[in-house]
Amino acid sequence: MLQAKLPRRTLLATAAALTAGGARAQTAKPASPLNVSIVDVAGNLALTQKAFEAYRRENPAMVGRFTFTKAPAPELPAKIRAQQAAGRVDIDIVMTGTDALAAGIEQKIWATLLPNPRLPKLDDILIEPAKRMQTLTQNQGVILNYCPGGPLLEYMPDRVKTPPTTADELMAWAAANPNRLMYARPANSGPGRAFMMGLPYILGDTDPKDPVRGWDKTWAYLQALDRHIEYYPTGTGATFKELGEGSRDMVISHTGWDLNPRVLGIVPKEARITTLKGFRFITDAQYACIPSGLNQERMNVLLDLVTYMLGKPAQAYAWDEGYFYPGPAVKDVPLSMAPKESQDAIREFGRPEYDKLLAETPTELPLEADRMVVAFRMWDERVGAKKTK
């Protein structure tokens, strides 16, 4: 939100140095507690809302109230850009996956956050795969949550007696069972984009990092598979609802989307997962991004809030009920630190096979921002143009 210029003495207030372990600096308090607007385009509030509210309780002089809203990832960057052009930005933080992160980088709507002495040294506190995912931000976001991602196939064993183990077998199964496979539009779905970006490795495409010149096999495969898919939801949740209701037998999934819908009872507990030959994890993450155009007083509070969200107590909430399994992006945040309900849910619904799968499967970063945006556009045009709803 844009505010009037601050008095010079307020702008000159400085923060104490951060320790290497990520301790929060002393941040100048705003003239009055701020109302902070947080927009979630990734389902991230399941992992972070309790921690945000804990910050407000512990820092009443900084934040008076949070306003939480949700929006589709593909539409939000254009909305923020329009607000910036009008000089009236009313969104403080966007909680996003790699989709709106990439679109926002392309549209130049995010503030540059790093390096910044008000934030901890991320290399000192992040787990190794989260460090790699942080490189995708081009310093315009901060990773808060990490998930090894997918693509996994999730299916009901009473309806899929012999699950496919190769890409050819998946195509044959889909042809023999029309409209029983589903995945969501990649531009707004973690599992959907993991499937799109994972296929080049599974199919042996010439360059898995180049959707324009290196994905000939992938685009041909997705177009052929499209003949056997009824439609593509604009969000992931609809695919699991239909799996649970029985209108689909198999959906594209990833580790978090496998666990959480079963915990919530949306999908039966007995649903199973499998992978295709050549599978690699396309890692996933969720980030805090701040639109450019906010004044210094507000930025000071938001940076203090982001630093708090990187602390171990806040990170422990990210285990949630398996929504972004495992969830924490920071080192040394074991399940034992999570709330009891998180521990109970993950122990009951977690899969023993994940330990082996995570240990033995190679991981790959998603596409860089510019190429990811291109891939989304190509999928929309070549695959989902007539069937997305």
Side-chain angles (χ1 to χ4, degrees):
M1 301 176 183
L2 295 176
Q3 306 289 337
K5 271 192 173 181
L6 296 176
R8 187 170 182 271
R9 63 180 179 274
T10 304
L11 291 175
L12 291 175
T14 58
L18 287 168
T19 69
R24 285 165 59 216
Q26 295 298 313
T27 298
K29 293 180 175 62
S32 59
L34 302 184
N35 292 332
V36 174
S37 169
I38 297 177
V39 179
D40 175 15
V41 299
N44 178 269
L45 290 176
L47 313 177
T48 56
Q49 185 165 349
K50 291 178 181 177
F52 281 128
E53 293 291 4
Y55 176 89
R56 181 184 58 81
R57 290 192 299 271
E58 295 171 24
N59 299 273
M62 306 290 273
V63 173
R65 179 168 61 92
F66 284 114
T67 300
F68 299 107
T69 56
K70 297 183 180 182
E75 282 107 34
L76 188 66
K79 176 181 178 180
I80 292 174
R81 192 174 182 183
Q83 290 184 355
Q84 290 167 332
R88 298 180 60 84
V89 181
D90 65 4
I91 294 170
D92 293 309
I93 292 180
V94 176
M95 305 303 299
T96 178
T98 53
D99 41 18
L101 168 71
I105 290 172
E106 184 198 41
Q107 297 186 36
K108 299 179 171 57
I109 63 172
W110 304 130
T112 297
L113 301 181
L114 296 164
N116 194 308
R118 290 184 174 87
L119 293 173
K121 295 178 180 177
L122 298 186
D123 279 350
D124 291 343
I125 65 170
L126 295 179
I127 59 175
E128 198 58 40
K131 291 181 189 179
R132 297 177 65 210
M133 292 298 290
Q134 177 62 32
T135 65
L136 299 177
T137 69
Q138 299 182 28
N139 295 327
Q140 296 173 48
V142 173
I143 186 171
L144 295 185
N145 307 115
Y146 170 77
C147 171
L152 307 174
L153 298 179
E154 186 162 346
Y155 65 94
M156 296 308 304
D158 60 332
R159 304 198 293 269
V160 182
K161 302 299 184 183
T162 306
T165 60
T166 68
D168 286 344
E169 288 179 7
L170 175 61
M171 186 70 71
W173 184 91
N177 299 273
N179 300 333
R180 305 304 293 179
L181 172 69
M182 175 177 272
Y183 69 97
R185 182 189 180 202
N188 199 39
S189 169
R193 62 181 172 268
F195 184 52
M196 180 186 72
M197 291 186 285
L199 275 174
Y201 297 98
I202 292 169
L203 297 172
D205 248 323
T206 57
D207 187 351
K209 297 298 187 184
D210 187 349
V212 177
R213 291 174 290 275
W215 284 20
D216 290 349
K217 294 179 181 178
T218 294
W219 294 124
Y221 186 92
L222 288 171
Q223 288 170 325
L225 190 64
D226 173 70
R227 302 185 192 114
H228 315 303
I229 293 177
E230 184 176 5
Y231 79 99
Y232 304 97
T234 53
T236 312
T239 68
F240 287 90
K241 183 173 183 290
E242 296 206 19
L243 180 67
E245 291 172 346
S247 54
R248 313 294 159 185
D249 298 334
M250 187 185 303
V251 298
I252 305 300
S253 187
H254 76 24
T255 54
W257 276 102
D258 164 38
L259 267 68
N260 189 245
R262 291 188 297 117
V263 172
L264 299 178
I266 297 169
V267 173
K269 185 178 181 180
E270 59 267 24
R272 303 292 299 166
I273 58 147
T274 190
T275 60
L276 300 178
K277 183 179 179 181
F279 157 75
R280 302 184 186 194
F281 276 115
I282 307 299
T283 52
D284 203 359
Q286 296 188 341
Y287 305 86
C289 294
I290 299 176
S292 58
L294 306 179
N295 68 32
Q296 191 61 55
E297 178 186 58
R298 187 163 290 271
M299 285 297 297
N300 287 344
V301 172
L302 297 180
L303 291 172
D304 188 64
L305 174 58
V306 170
T307 298
Y308 178 89
M309 297 298 289
L310 289 166
K312 292 181 182 180
Q315 286 282 304
Y317 285 112
W319 284 94
D320 182 53
E321 292 177 318
Y323 172 68
F324 208 63
Y325 181 83
V330 168
K331 298 175 185 175
D332 303 323
V333 185
L335 180 60
S336 60
M337 289 184 65
K340 184 178 184 300
E341 57 268 27
S342 296
Q343 297 184 39
D344 292 346
I346 291 170
R347 285 173 181 146
E348 180 177 356
F349 290 88
R351 296 191 187 275
E353 60 262 44
Y354 273 145
D355 291 340
K356 185 174 187 292
L357 194 62
L358 293 172
E360 297 180 356
T361 306
T363 62
E364 299 288 346
L365 285 177
L367 297 175
E368 294 285 344
D370 55 346
R371 293 187 173 189
M372 187 180 298
V373 171
V374 169
F376 290 157
R377 289 175 184 158
M378 292 177 71
W379 185 93
D380 285 344
E381 292 167 0
R382 298 185 180 192
V383 183
K386 298 179 180 178
K387 289 187 177 180
T388 300
K389 63 180 180 179

Short mmCIF file of all heavy atoms in Angstrom, two decimals, residues 249-291:
data_model
loop_
_atom_site.label_atom_id
_atom_site.label_comp_id
_atom_site.label_asym_id
_atom_site.label_seq_id
_atom_site.Cartn_x
_atom_site.Cartn_y
_atom_site.Cartn_z
N ASP A 249 -10.01 -42.10 -12.35
CA ASP A 249 -9.33 -43.24 -11.73
C ASP A 249 -7.87 -42.95 -11.42
O ASP A 249 -7.26 -43.62 -10.59
CB ASP A 249 -9.40 -44.47 -12.64
CG ASP A 249 -10.82 -44.92 -12.89
OD1 ASP A 249 -11.69 -44.64 -12.03
OD2 ASP A 249 -11.07 -45.53 -13.94
N MET A 250 -7.30 -41.96 -12.13
CA MET A 250 -5.88 -41.65 -11.99
C MET A 250 -5.68 -40.16 -12.23
O MET A 250 -6.30 -39.57 -13.12
CB MET A 250 -5.05 -42.47 -12.98
CG MET A 250 -3.54 -42.36 -12.81
SD MET A 250 -2.64 -43.25 -14.13
CE MET A 250 -3.30 -44.90 -13.96
N VAL A 251 -4.81 -39.54 -11.41
CA VAL A 251 -4.49 -38.13 -11.59
C VAL A 251 -2.98 -37.95 -11.46
O VAL A 251 -2.28 -38.80 -10.90
CB VAL A 251 -5.20 -37.23 -10.56
CG1 VAL A 251 -6.71 -37.33 -10.70
CG2 VAL A 251 -4.77 -37.56 -9.13
N ILE A 252 -2.50 -36.84 -11.99
CA ILE A 252 -1.09 -36.48 -11.80
C ILE A 252 -0.96 -35.82 -10.43
O ILE A 252 -1.73 -34.94 -10.07
CB ILE A 252 -0.61 -35.52 -12.91
CG1 ILE A 252 -0.86 -36.14 -14.29
CG2 ILE A 252 0.86 -35.20 -12.71
CD1 ILE A 252 -0.17 -37.45 -14.54
N SER A 253 0.05 -36.24 -9.67
CA SER A 253 0.17 -35.81 -8.28
C SER A 253 1.60 -35.43 -7.97
O SER A 253 2.49 -35.48 -8.83
CB SER A 253 -0.30 -36.95 -7.36
OG SER A 253 -0.35 -36.55 -6.01
N HIS A 254 1.83 -34.98 -6.74
CA HIS A 254 3.18 -34.90 -6.18
C HIS A 254 3.10 -35.17 -4.69
O HIS A 254 2.02 -35.45 -4.16
CB HIS A 254 3.92 -33.63 -6.58
CG HIS A 254 3.56 -32.35 -5.89
ND1 HIS A 254 2.99 -32.26 -4.65
CD2 HIS A 254 3.77 -31.06 -6.29
CE1 HIS A 254 2.85 -31.00 -4.31
NE2 HIS A 254 3.30 -30.25 -5.29
N THR A 255 4.22 -35.15 -4.00
CA THR A 255 4.26 -35.69 -2.63
C THR A 255 3.23 -35.04 -1.71
O THR A 255 2.53 -35.72 -0.97
CB THR A 255 5.66 -35.53 -2.02
OG1 THR A 255 6.07 -34.16 -2.10
CG2 THR A 255 6.67 -36.40 -2.77
N GLY A 256 3.12 -33.71 -1.75
CA GLY A 256 2.17 -33.04 -0.87
C GLY A 256 0.73 -33.29 -1.26
O GLY A 256 -0.13 -33.54 -0.40
N TRP A 257 0.46 -33.23 -2.57
CA TRP A 257 -0.90 -33.46 -3.02
C TRP A 257 -1.32 -34.92 -2.84
O TRP A 257 -2.51 -35.24 -2.78
CB TRP A 257 -1.06 -33.03 -4.47
CG TRP A 257 -1.32 -31.56 -4.61
CD1 TRP A 257 -0.43 -30.60 -4.96
CD2 TRP A 257 -2.56 -30.89 -4.38
NE1 TRP A 257 -1.04 -29.35 -4.96
CE2 TRP A 257 -2.35 -29.51 -4.61
CE3 TRP A 257 -3.83 -31.32 -4.00
CZ2 TRP A 257 -3.36 -28.56 -4.48
CZ3 TRP A 257 -4.85 -30.37 -3.87
CH2 TRP A 257 -4.61 -29.01 -4.11
N ASP A 258 -0.36 -35.80 -2.71
CA ASP A 258 -0.68 -37.18 -2.37
C ASP A 258 -1.14 -37.30 -0.93
O ASP A 258 -2.17 -37.92 -0.64
CB ASP A 258 0.55 -38.07 -2.62
CG ASP A 258 0.43 -39.43 -1.95
OD1 ASP A 258 -0.67 -39.99 -1.94
OD2 ASP A 258 1.46 -39.92 -1.46
N LEU A 259 -0.41 -36.69 -0.01
CA LEU A 259 -0.71 -36.87 1.41
C LEU A 259 -1.95 -36.10 1.85
O LEU A 259 -2.88 -36.67 2.44
CB LEU A 259 0.48 -36.43 2.27
CG LEU A 259 1.48 -37.51 2.66
CD1 LEU A 259 2.24 -38.02 1.45
CD2 LEU A 259 2.45 -36.99 3.71
N ASN A 260 -1.98 -34.80 1.57
CA ASN A 260 -2.98 -33.95 2.20
C ASN A 260 -4.43 -34.30 1.84
O ASN A 260 -5.28 -34.35 2.74
CB ASN A 260 -2.68 -32.49 1.87
CG ASN A 260 -3.53 -31.52 2.67
OD1 ASN A 260 -4.34 -30.80 2.11
ND2 ASN A 260 -3.35 -31.50 3.98
N PRO A 261 -4.79 -34.55 0.58
CA PRO A 261 -6.18 -34.92 0.31
C PRO A 261 -6.61 -36.21 1.00
O PRO A 261 -7.79 -36.38 1.33
CB PRO A 261 -6.21 -35.05 -1.22
CG PRO A 261 -5.13 -34.15 -1.70
CD PRO A 261 -4.04 -34.33 -0.68
N ARG A 262 -5.68 -37.12 1.23
CA ARG A 262 -6.03 -38.34 1.97
C ARG A 262 -6.22 -38.03 3.45
O ARG A 262 -7.12 -38.56 4.10
CB ARG A 262 -4.95 -39.41 1.77
CG ARG A 262 -4.94 -39.95 0.34
CD ARG A 262 -4.01 -41.14 0.16
NE ARG A 262 -2.62 -40.81 0.41
CZ ARG A 262 -1.87 -41.33 1.37
NH1 ARG A 262 -2.38 -42.23 2.19
NH2 ARG A 262 -0.62 -40.97 1.51
N VAL A 263 -5.38 -37.14 4.00
CA VAL A 263 -5.56 -36.73 5.40
C VAL A 263 -6.94 -36.09 5.58
O VAL A 263 -7.65 -36.35 6.56
CB VAL A 263 -4.45 -35.73 5.82
CG1 VAL A 263 -4.76 -35.16 7.20
CG2 VAL A 263 -3.09 -36.41 5.83
N LEU A 264 -7.33 -35.26 4.63
CA LEU A 264 -8.59 -34.52 4.73
C LEU A 264 -9.82 -35.35 4.36
O LEU A 264 -10.95 -34.88 4.52
CB LEU A 264 -8.54 -33.27 3.84
CG LEU A 264 -7.45 -32.25 4.19
CD1 LEU A 264 -7.48 -31.09 3.21
CD2 LEU A 264 -7.60 -31.74 5.62
N GLY A 265 -9.60 -36.55 3.83
CA GLY A 265 -10.71 -37.40 3.45
C GLY A 265 -11.27 -37.10 2.08
O GLY A 265 -12.31 -37.65 1.69
N ILE A 266 -10.63 -36.24 1.31
CA ILE A 266 -11.07 -35.94 -0.05
C ILE A 266 -10.80 -37.13 -0.96
O ILE A 266 -11.59 -37.45 -1.86
CB ILE A 266 -10.36 -34.67 -0.58
CG1 ILE A 266 -10.74 -33.47 0.29
CG2 ILE A 266 -10.69 -34.42 -2.04
CD1 ILE A 266 -9.90 -32.24 0.03
N VAL A 267 -9.68 -37.78 -0.73
CA VAL A 267 -9.29 -38.99 -1.46
C VAL A 267 -9.20 -40.13 -0.46
O VAL A 267 -8.69 -39.95 0.66
CB VAL A 267 -7.93 -38.77 -2.16
CG1 VAL A 267 -7.42 -40.07 -2.78
CG2 VAL A 267 -8.04 -37.69 -3.23
N PRO A 268 -9.69 -41.31 -0.79
CA PRO A 268 -9.60 -42.44 0.15
C PRO A 268 -8.15 -42.74 0.54
O PRO A 268 -7.23 -42.59 -0.26
CB PRO A 268 -10.21 -43.61 -0.64
CG PRO A 268 -11.13 -42.95 -1.62
CD PRO A 268 -10.46 -41.68 -2.00
N LYS A 269 -8.00 -43.17 1.77
CA LYS A 269 -6.67 -43.45 2.29
C LYS A 269 -5.94 -44.49 1.46
O LYS A 269 -4.70 -44.45 1.32
CB LYS A 269 -6.78 -43.93 3.74
CG LYS A 269 -5.45 -44.15 4.44
CD LYS A 269 -5.66 -44.58 5.90
CE LYS A 269 -4.33 -44.77 6.61
NZ LYS A 269 -4.52 -45.17 8.03
N GLU A 270 -6.66 -45.42 0.85
CA GLU A 270 -6.01 -46.52 0.14
C GLU A 270 -5.49 -46.14 -1.24
O GLU A 270 -4.92 -47.00 -1.95
CB GLU A 270 -6.98 -47.70 0.02
CG GLU A 270 -8.26 -47.40 -0.72
CD GLU A 270 -9.40 -46.97 0.21
OE1 GLU A 270 -9.11 -46.49 1.33
OE2 GLU A 270 -10.56 -47.13 -0.19
N ALA A 271 -5.66 -44.90 -1.68
CA ALA A 271 -5.09 -44.48 -2.96
C ALA A 271 -3.59 -44.78 -2.98
O ALA A 271 -2.90 -44.66 -1.95
CB ALA A 271 -5.34 -42.99 -3.19
N ARG A 272 -3.08 -45.16 -4.14
CA ARG A 272 -1.67 -45.53 -4.28
C ARG A 272 -0.96 -44.57 -5.23
O ARG A 272 -1.60 -43.81 -5.96
CB ARG A 272 -1.56 -46.96 -4.83
CG ARG A 272 -2.27 -48.02 -4.02
CD ARG A 272 -1.62 -48.24 -2.68
NE ARG A 272 -0.23 -48.70 -2.82
CZ ARG A 272 0.66 -48.71 -1.83
NH1 ARG A 272 0.32 -48.28 -0.62
NH2 ARG A 272 1.88 -49.17 -2.04
N ILE A 273 0.37 -44.62 -5.21
CA ILE A 273 1.17 -43.83 -6.14
C ILE A 273 2.13 -44.73 -6.90
O ILE A 273 2.49 -45.81 -6.43
CB ILE A 273 1.97 -42.72 -5.42
CG1 ILE A 273 2.90 -43.34 -4.37
CG2 ILE A 273 1.06 -41.67 -4.83
CD1 ILE A 273 4.20 -42.60 -4.19
N THR A 274 2.52 -44.26 -8.07
CA THR A 274 3.56 -44.93 -8.83
C THR A 274 4.29 -43.88 -9.67
O THR A 274 3.86 -42.73 -9.74
CB THR A 274 2.97 -46.04 -9.73
OG1 THR A 274 4.03 -46.82 -10.28
CG2 THR A 274 2.15 -45.46 -10.87
N THR A 275 5.39 -44.30 -10.29
CA THR A 275 6.17 -43.40 -11.14
C THR A 275 6.42 -44.08 -12.47
O THR A 275 6.23 -45.29 -12.61
CB THR A 275 7.52 -43.04 -10.49
OG1 THR A 275 8.28 -44.23 -10.29
CG2 THR A 275 7.32 -42.34 -9.16
N LEU A 276 6.85 -43.30 -13.45
CA LEU A 276 7.16 -43.83 -14.77
C LEU A 276 8.67 -44.00 -14.93
O LEU A 276 9.45 -43.25 -14.33
CB LEU A 276 6.63 -42.88 -15.85
CG LEU A 276 5.12 -42.63 -15.84
CD1 LEU A 276 4.75 -41.63 -16.93
CD2 LEU A 276 4.34 -43.93 -16.02
N LYS A 277 9.08 -44.95 -15.75
CA LYS A 277 10.49 -45.18 -16.02
C LYS A 277 11.14 -43.89 -16.53
O LYS A 277 10.62 -43.21 -17.39
CB LYS A 277 10.64 -46.28 -17.06
CG LYS A 277 12.09 -46.66 -17.36
CD LYS A 277 12.17 -47.77 -18.39
CE LYS A 277 13.62 -48.12 -18.71
NZ LYS A 277 13.71 -49.19 -19.73
N GLY A 278 12.31 -43.56 -15.96
CA GLY A 278 13.00 -42.33 -16.32
C GLY A 278 12.60 -41.13 -15.49
O GLY A 278 13.12 -40.03 -15.68
N PHE A 279 11.70 -41.35 -14.53
CA PHE A 279 11.18 -40.28 -13.68
C PHE A 279 12.28 -39.59 -12.88
O PHE A 279 13.19 -40.23 -12.36
CB PHE A 279 10.15 -40.88 -12.73
CG PHE A 279 9.90 -40.11 -11.47
CD1 PHE A 279 9.16 -38.94 -11.49
CD2 PHE A 279 10.40 -40.57 -10.25
CE1 PHE A 279 8.91 -38.23 -10.31
CE2 PHE A 279 10.16 -39.87 -9.08
CZ PHE A 279 9.41 -38.70 -9.11
N ARG A 280 12.20 -38.29 -12.82
CA ARG A 280 13.00 -37.47 -11.91
C ARG A 280 12.07 -36.50 -11.20
O ARG A 280 11.10 -36.04 -11.79
CB ARG A 280 14.07 -36.68 -12.66
CG ARG A 280 15.03 -37.55 -13.46
CD ARG A 280 16.11 -36.72 -14.10
NE ARG A 280 16.95 -37.52 -14.99
CZ ARG A 280 18.12 -37.12 -15.47
NH1 ARG A 280 18.57 -35.91 -15.17
NH2 ARG A 280 18.82 -37.90 -16.27
N PHE A 281 12.38 -36.20 -9.95
CA PHE A 281 11.60 -35.19 -9.24
C PHE A 281 11.87 -33.82 -9.84
O PHE A 281 13.02 -33.39 -9.94
CB PHE A 281 11.96 -35.16 -7.75
CG PHE A 281 11.24 -36.17 -6.91
CD1 PHE A 281 11.94 -37.19 -6.29
CD2 PHE A 281 9.87 -36.09 -6.73
CE1 PHE A 281 11.28 -38.13 -5.49
CE2 PHE A 281 9.20 -37.02 -5.94
CZ PHE A 281 9.90 -38.03 -5.32
N ILE A 282 10.82 -33.11 -10.24
CA ILE A 282 10.92 -31.69 -10.57
C ILE A 282 10.57 -30.95 -9.29
O ILE A 282 9.42 -30.91 -8.87
CB ILE A 282 9.96 -31.31 -11.71
CG1 ILE A 282 10.18 -32.22 -12.92
CG2 ILE A 282 10.16 -29.84 -12.07
CD1 ILE A 282 11.57 -32.16 -13.52
N THR A 283 11.57 -30.41 -8.64
CA THR A 283 11.38 -29.87 -7.29
C THR A 283 10.44 -28.67 -7.31
O THR A 283 10.32 -27.95 -8.31
CB THR A 283 12.73 -29.49 -6.66
OG1 THR A 283 13.46 -28.64 -7.56
CG2 THR A 283 13.55 -30.74 -6.39
N ASP A 284 9.80 -28.45 -6.18
CA ASP A 284 8.79 -27.41 -6.07
C ASP A 284 9.08 -26.58 -4.83
O ASP A 284 9.74 -27.04 -3.88
CB ASP A 284 7.40 -28.04 -5.98
CG ASP A 284 6.30 -27.09 -6.41
OD1 ASP A 284 6.60 -25.93 -6.77
OD2 ASP A 284 5.12 -27.50 -6.40
N ALA A 285 8.61 -25.36 -4.83
CA ALA A 285 8.83 -24.46 -3.70
C ALA A 285 7.74 -23.41 -3.69
O ALA A 285 7.05 -23.20 -4.69
CB ALA A 285 10.20 -23.80 -3.79
N GLN A 286 7.61 -22.76 -2.55
CA GLN A 286 6.70 -21.63 -2.44
C GLN A 286 7.47 -20.46 -1.85
O GLN A 286 8.32 -20.63 -0.96
CB GLN A 286 5.47 -22.00 -1.62
CG GLN A 286 4.66 -23.09 -2.33
CD GLN A 286 3.34 -23.38 -1.69
OE1 GLN A 286 3.08 -23.05 -0.53
NE2 GLN A 286 2.45 -24.02 -2.45
N TYR A 287 7.13 -19.28 -2.33
CA TYR A 287 7.94 -18.09 -2.09
C TYR A 287 7.08 -16.93 -1.57
O TYR A 287 5.88 -16.86 -1.86
CB TYR A 287 8.61 -17.62 -3.38
CG TYR A 287 9.44 -18.66 -4.08
CD1 TYR A 287 8.86 -19.56 -4.98
CD2 TYR A 287 10.82 -18.75 -3.87
CE1 TYR A 287 9.63 -20.51 -5.64
CE2 TYR A 287 11.58 -19.71 -4.52
CZ TYR A 287 10.98 -20.58 -5.41
OH TYR A 287 11.74 -21.52 -6.07
N ALA A 288 7.74 -16.03 -0.87
CA ALA A 288 7.15 -14.73 -0.55
C ALA A 288 7.74 -13.71 -1.51
O ALA A 288 8.96 -13.54 -1.58
CB ALA A 288 7.47 -14.34 0.89
N CYS A 289 6.88 -13.04 -2.27
CA CYS A 289 7.29 -11.96 -3.17
C CYS A 289 6.58 -10.69 -2.74
O CYS A 289 5.43 -10.73 -2.28
CB CYS A 289 6.93 -12.29 -4.61
SG CYS A 289 7.84 -13.68 -5.30
N ILE A 290 7.25 -9.57 -2.90
CA ILE A 290 6.70 -8.27 -2.53
C ILE A 290 6.63 -7.39 -3.77
O ILE A 290 7.65 -7.20 -4.44
CB ILE A 290 7.56 -7.60 -1.45
CG1 ILE A 290 7.60 -8.46 -0.18
CG2 ILE A 290 7.04 -6.19 -1.11
CD1 ILE A 290 8.52 -7.93 0.91
N PRO A 291 5.46 -6.88 -4.11
CA PRO A 291 5.38 -5.99 -5.27
C PRO A 291 6.22 -4.72 -5.05
O PRO A 291 6.31 -4.21 -3.93
CB PRO A 291 3.89 -5.64 -5.36
CG PRO A 291 3.19 -6.73 -4.60
CD PRO A 291 4.14 -7.13 -3.50
#
